[in-house]
Amino acid sequence: MTPARNPVADGPLAAPELANEARDFRLRMAVIDRETEVALDLTRDRFGRTVHPDAAAAARAHRDKAAVEAYTTHLAPHAEALLDVARLVLDELPPARHLAGWRAVLDGLAASAAEIRRALDRPAAPGSAAERAQHSALWPYLAAWADHSFIATDLADQSGGQHKAPLTDEEERIWTERAQAAQRRGELELTESWYAADGQPITLAHLIEDDDSTLVALRGDPDAPGWQVIGHYAHEYEAGKVLPAPVPPGVLRAGVSRFNRPAQAPEVSLQELIRDVVEGQTAGDASEALLGAVQRGYDAGPMIHLQELLETSSQFASALETVQGRQIAARLSALSRQIEFLTREVEEAAEDLGATVAVLPPHRTPALRARPRPAVDTTPPTPPPRASTTARHR
């Protein structure tokens, strides 16, 4: 196990340096995760089933050890200081819906750091089974820091203070009216959006008037009543210096982890099902491929996954909590219901096809791909003479 750096010798780090250490850890964890996925892919068959369990276990053990070393290098001396800075900044933020969730994340990171510190203080013998077990037990806590420390990082980055929009109330009213008029004409082009620390959405847009474009910043949902222009700028760089800083966006499902994904069920690809039909000779072959596409349950088929994709995307669009998001969510939900109807139709057609008890007729003969070459001592046939034709002129 790589020894941790001595925080006393290194000296206390400023908030930006603490944030950079957490970023370096997340970057290293992303590399470790990618390398592990590549190694695990070599242990699976074409359907995703693990066929070399010993190699898979070795890949995960290597992942666990590398993650411990990354944490020891980048965060072990600084985790508590980073959390302290993040909590101080959090206490100074204006009230918002997301602050309770952020505080819970910081508490969870603190608990994970305590578990990791206890293990690092009592390391097992290098290379032993006990060390592998210790590293495996630490993986969920290391993954928690890789997944969620961006919130602590963002809070540490905000320790320098808050930005304020430069417009007076009267200027804000005038610019808002101009932007609303441009929106009615279809000449307010939205370019970028984020949330500020107070939980309000900020959107950059190009306000076009008489072939002239001005970059403006809007507060609120541009498709709902009540939004306002809070600034106008020459370019994006100027806007970024004075507008409220973006906070990390949310997640669709709170329990999802990039570094602890559930094992995927075996899946037959749509291309393979098409190939089964092309290579089939009986009605049952085509029927079985169609039924594979609409199969439900653990090893669901592609059409079931498509419906799940549409439904999940509908949930995502609705979770945006914007006017357009809700409208798109309704469209995606309707498409999901159409796929469900189509799935039942395909299933019935597949069962009817299988019940025909038929085979392809013999006159549908296969065509040889490799033509036999003529013998060495044979003369190739004389090509037919080319007919002399008069060239046509246009």
Side-chain angles (χ1 to χ4, degrees), residues 201-381:
I202 306 295
T203 303
L204 291 182
H206 289 289
L207 193 164
I208 302 174
E209 297 173 312
D210 300 327
D211 296 329
D212 187 27
S213 177
T214 303
L215 183 68
V216 296
L218 320 177
R219 180 186 292 274
D221 182 358
D223 296 302
W227 59 267
Q228 296 174 313
V229 173
I230 58 174
H232 57 91
Y233 315 95
H235 43 67
E236 285 80 357
Y237 179 73
E238 180 187 356
K241 291 191 298 182
V242 298
L243 283 172
V247 299
V251 295
L252 179 61
R253 296 173 182 170
V256 173
S257 167
R258 171 185 176 182
F259 297 93
N260 277 318
R261 296 189 181 104
Q264 292 186 346
E267 182 179 12
V268 179
S269 71
L270 193 59
Q271 289 184 340
E272 190 159 354
L273 294 174
I274 296 172
R275 188 185 66 189
D276 288 345
V277 175
V278 172
E279 296 178 353
Q281 294 181 307
T282 71
D285 295 333
S287 172
E288 186 176 351
L290 285 171
L291 291 174
V294 297
Q295 180 170 302
R296 304 173 190 271
Y298 172 69
D299 48 352
M303 290 191 67
I304 305 302
H305 286 307
L306 176 59
Q307 183 187 1
E308 184 180 1
L309 172 63
L310 291 172
E311 189 59 39
T312 305
S313 300
S314 173
Q315 296 170 9
F316 184 96
S318 178
L320 294 174
E321 299 183 4
T322 63
V323 171
Q324 282 201 10
R326 287 188 288 270
Q327 293 172 349
I328 296 172
R331 290 169 55 192
L332 291 170
S333 183
L335 289 171
S336 174
R337 292 192 296 272
Q338 293 179 32
I339 293 296
E340 170 63 24
F341 173 78
L342 182 60
T343 297
R344 291 197 298 268
E345 289 290 305
V346 171
E347 189 172 6
E348 292 178 5
E351 291 173 349
D352 292 343
L353 181 59
T356 60
V357 193
V359 299
L360 293 174
H363 65 77
R364 302 185 66 87
T365 56
L368 290 177
R369 285 183 174 273
R371 300 282 184 179
R373 292 186 296 178
V376 178
D377 56 350
T378 59
T379 303

Side-chain angles (χ1 to χ4, degrees), residues 52-140:
H52 302 291
D54 292 341
R60 291 191 178 93
H62 179 76
R63 174 202 68 182
D64 298 342
K65 181 179 180 180
V68 170
E69 292 175 346
Y71 185 91
T72 303
T73 300
H74 296 290
L75 280 176
H78 312 298
E80 293 182 3
L82 175 63
L83 293 176
D84 289 342
V85 171
R87 286 194 177 97
L88 288 174
V89 176
L90 187 62
D91 292 339
E92 297 174 357
L93 293 180
R97 290 172 56 187
H98 58 271
L99 297 190
W102 282 11
R103 198 174 302 278
V105 168
L106 296 182
D107 292 342
L109 292 177
S112 296
E115 291 291 338
I116 299 170
R117 184 175 62 253
R118 276 193 287 269
L120 294 181
D121 290 342
R122 301 178 182 84
S128 65
E131 184 188 53
R132 291 192 294 274
Q134 186 182 62
H135 291 172
S136 178
L138 287 178
W139 172 254

